[in-house]
Amino acid sequence: TIQVPVRSLTAQAIASKRRGAVAQVLEQSLCLALRVGVAAAVLGVVLAPWLLRLSSVGPGSPLLEPAKRYLVPRLLGTPGLLMVIVLQAALLGAFKDTRTILRLVLLGGVVNSVLTPWFIIGFGQGTGGAAWATTIACYASAIAAWFAVKGRAQEGDRLLPSWGMLAKRVLLFRRSGEEEGGETSWLPLLQANAAMTVRTFASITTWLFACMRITPLGVAPLAAHTCMVKTFLLLLFSLYGFQLASQVLVSAEVQRGDTRYARWTALRVVRLGVIVAATVVGLLWFGQGAIMRALAVDPTVAVEFAKLVPPTAVMLLIYGVTWSLDGVVYGLGDYVWAAKCSILAALSAVVSMLFFARSASGVWWSLNVMVVMRAVAVVHRVFFRSTSPLVVPRTNAASTM
């Protein structure tokens, strides 16, 4: 979740011509990400047997050793993964550089695809080889991202701390000169990251509860639900770019004081998001047969899958608005509001599932309760709430009538 505030904070710093603030955000976010990554790696390696036991892989299981050989290297790659996430967020937020981000993703994919068969077949490492290939790819992408951001520095400018200083701050909790002088605060980054973590937890918990409600209904409904979740996520992420664009663009425009253009940008992104959402809904509606044949061959699963298409189509259409405006909310820095809104919407969906959902399709319609509530709330927050910078002044509204 740390990439969300990093995008907004770096975009605002560049818009206000405060490149020093970009360096502060990067230093703080890298320290936070690496501390969390190192802690997760160390604790994960120590607690690996217990973590596997939670996944029903006990001491006597034949899967224990292969699973452990895979889990430990992947945990050791956590610091590199979090580091590349932060640096990619800075490339997008501060410099609006999507091409470099694409190259970094391709670099990681190429390294992974080359090393995986080499380690598995050439060295006979099995699952451990696959894990080490992915971990090495994470660190390769992180190093490349580091130099990509560093190359953006201007003469006499410093965007990133030295490797030595970063290591001291992460491992020894050394403070930088700015912090010792009391000129910078970790509070905005920590508060935003905590709020986004709560928001994500509320959303994921609601989907897990939905799965729990569908499981007792039988194998066919559960299989159809699993297939639809995969299909839904694949189609949903076609809208993710609109969230990123609205966050970065609106954040920078509001920081510059150009609220009218920021509102125009938000409306244009929502319009494009709805168009793309309608397109993917058409693909789902008319291609459901082909999708089901690709995912399952059981006709009873196909029948249950068809029942889930209408609520999923409605959900995707609403997400065309919600995800686009989520980016605007993040760009405005309303992370705490987003977390509160997600919690209330998630609770409403859970109550609907408990009292009204009697089938898999009923569960998905209950999930729509969460999505509708979030959509209504975010539209009001962005365009109609008096404290929003994107609200049209009444004098302007009257003059246009």
Side-chain angles (χ1 to χ4, degrees):
T1 58
I2 192 172
Q3 73 271 22
V4 177
V6 170
R7 283 195 296 263
S8 293
L9 292 172
T10 53
Q12 292 168 4
I14 290 294
S16 58
K17 298 181 170 36
R18 295 180 295 114
R19 292 180 67 89
V22 177
Q24 289 181 9
V25 171
L26 279 172
E27 188 172 349
Q28 291 175 349
S29 56
L30 284 171
C31 284
L32 179 60
L34 289 175
R35 285 170 184 169
V36 172
V38 170
V42 173
L43 292 176
V45 170
V46 173
L47 301 176
W50 183 77
L51 294 173
L52 292 173
R53 192 174 302 170
L54 290 178
S55 303
S56 301
V57 182
S61 173
L63 297 176
L64 177 61
E65 287 305 316
K68 191 174 180 180
R69 285 197 299 268
Y70 182 83
L71 179 62
V72 170
R74 290 296 290 115
L75 288 170
L76 292 175
T78 306
L81 176 62
L82 294 178
M83 183 176 173
V84 77
I85 286 174
V86 169
L87 294 172
Q88 285 181 349
L91 286 169
L92 179 60
F95 308 110
K96 301 179 179 58
D97 186 354
T98 55
R99 291 186 179 181
T100 300
I101 295 175
L102 176 60
R103 294 190 188 105
L104 292 172
V105 173
L106 293 176
L107 172 64
V110 169
V111 172
N112 200 355
S113 62
V114 170
L115 293 183
T116 297
W118 189 20
F119 287 175
I120 293 176
I121 301 173
F123 293 105
Q125 294 297 312
T127 56
W132 278 115
T134 304
T135 295
I136 293 172
C138 286
Y139 282 106
S141 297
I143 293 171
W146 178 279
F147 284 105
V149 174
K150 187 176 181 180
R152 293 284 183 167
Q154 299 176 354
E155 186 176 355
D157 197 8
R158 180 186 65 85
L159 293 177
L160 293 169
S162 65
W163 288 100
M165 177 58 70
L166 185 61
K168 289 179 181 178
R169 296 203 64 198
V170 172
L171 301 176
L172 303 178
F173 291 87
R174 292 281 182 87
R175 301 175 68 186
S176 66
E178 290 86 353
E179 286 178 323
E180 291 173 358
E183 297 175 9
T184 185
S185 172
W186 286 68
L187 186 59
L189 183 64
L190 293 175
Q191 186 183 54
N193 192 56
M196 293 306 301
T197 300
V198 171
R199 179 200 174 283
T200 303
F201 179 80
S203 179
I204 293 176
T205 302
T206 307
W207 282 91
L208 290 175
F209 187 81
C211 184
M212 185 183 74
R213 291 288 294 167
I214 292 175
T215 299
L217 299 178
V219 175
L222 180 60
H225 170 74
T226 303
C227 293
M228 183 55 80
V229 168
K230 294 178 179 179
T231 304
F232 171 74
L233 291 176
L234 176 64
L235 298 176
L236 180 65
F237 274 93
S238 64
L239 304 172
Y240 188 51
F242 296 111
Q243 184 183 110
L244 299 180
S246 61
Q247 178 186 358
V248 174
L249 295 175
V250 171
S251 177
E253 289 156 5
V254 170
Q255 186 66 33
R256 286 193 292 263
D258 195 352
T259 55
R260 175 177 292 185
Y261 192 70
R263 179 183 174 87
W264 179 88
T265 299
L267 290 171
R268 176 62 63 89
V269 171
V270 169
R271 187 183 309 165
L272 293 174
V274 171
I275 292 173
V276 173
T279 302
V280 297
V281 164
L283 293 175
L284 173 64
W285 194 273
F286 296 105
Q288 57 182 288
I291 294 171
M292 198 60 251
R293 285 192 296 271
L295 297 177
V297 294
D298 192 328
T300 58
V301 176
V303 171
E304 294 294 329
F305 184 87
K307 296 178 182 178
L308 300 181
V309 171
T312 305
V314 172
M315 193 180 300
L316 285 168
L317 283 173
I318 299 172
Y319 264 113
V321 176
T322 306
W323 263 27
S324 301
L325 292 182
D326 276 346
V328 176
V329 170
Y330 302 152
L332 297 176
D334 284 342
Y335 308 108
V336 175
W337 178 90
K340 293 178 180 178
C341 177
S342 295
I343 291 172
L344 292 175
L347 289 174
S348 300
V350 168
V351 170
S352 178
M353 281 186 269
L354 279 173
F355 292 100
F356 303 107
R358 299 291 180 266
S359 63
S361 61
V363 170
W364 276 76
W365 283 116
S366 295
L367 289 170
N368 268 301
V369 171
M370 175 178 66
V371 180
V372 168
M373 288 187 65
R374 286 191 57 230
V376 172
V378 76
V379 168
H380 177 267
R381 171 64 187 88
V382 172
F383 295 119
F384 298 101
R385 189 175 177 180
S386 59
T387 56
S388 172
L390 304 190
V391 172
V392 177
R394 294 192 176 185
T395 54
N396 291 354
S399 64
T400 58
M401 294 179 61

